[in-house]
Amino acid sequence: ERLTRGLAVHGRMQQATADRQVAKRCKAYEGERAAGLQEQVAALVREGKRQRAAFEQLRAANQRLNQDIVAVEEQHRVTQQQLAQARSRIRNLVRLKDAASTKPVQPQPQ
């Protein structure tokens, strides 16, 4: 009976030691896992910041392009207006030329 109790105590001590070792390993694993997750989060934050900066650059470039488009459209409108005025002047000159060529030639006084 002493031997049986001694073996039982020895078995419980071995189990307790094994449980402590498993707990240590679990704690170490959890610490490594937490550190790995923290690094993943940090990497995602860095990538998010990089993407945000790239987005801001693209948005600024887009605004500049939109301003350029408005300026080009305005220049086009002015150019079309000037072109229409020039065509009108040409038509008027052609009319004046035609009118002048249809007048009878007057004899020059001598």
Side-chain angles (χ1 to χ4, degrees):
E1 187 178 320
R2 269 177 77 178
L3 182 60
T4 306
R5 269 189 276 162
L7 287 173
V9 168
H10 180 69
R12 284 193 302 268
M13 286 174 58
Q14 279 186 327
Q15 186 61 47
T17 301
D19 289 348
R20 282 193 299 276
Q21 288 175 344
V22 167
K24 273 186 184 178
R25 279 190 234 125
C26 285
K27 199 167 192 173
Y29 170 76
E30 287 172 359
E32 289 170 11
R33 188 167 181 266
L37 290 174
Q38 286 176 337
E39 179 52 39
Q40 286 178 348
V41 167
L44 289 171
V45 167
R46 286 191 301 271
E47 178 62 14
K49 287 180 180 179
R50 187 196 65 74
Q51 287 183 0
R52 181 67 185 185
F55 170 76
E56 291 299 332
Q57 288 177 338
L58 285 173
R59 186 163 58 152
N62 187 48
Q63 286 176 336
R64 288 190 300 273
L65 284 172
N66 286 338
Q67 291 169 347
D68 290 349
I69 288 169
V70 168
V72 166
E73 286 174 343
E74 175 61 18
Q75 184 59 48
H76 176 70
R77 186 190 66 75
V78 168
T79 301
Q80 290 300 103
Q81 189 177 16
Q82 290 171 341
L83 183 60
Q85 290 170 350
R87 286 180 179 146
S88 176
R89 282 194 295 264
I90 289 170
R91 280 192 302 272
N92 289 337
L93 288 172
V94 167
R95 277 192 215 113
L96 285 173
K97 182 184 142 250
D98 289 346
S101 65
T102 59
K103 284 187 180 175
V105 178
Q106 305 255 339
Q108 294 291 329
Q110 304 223 352

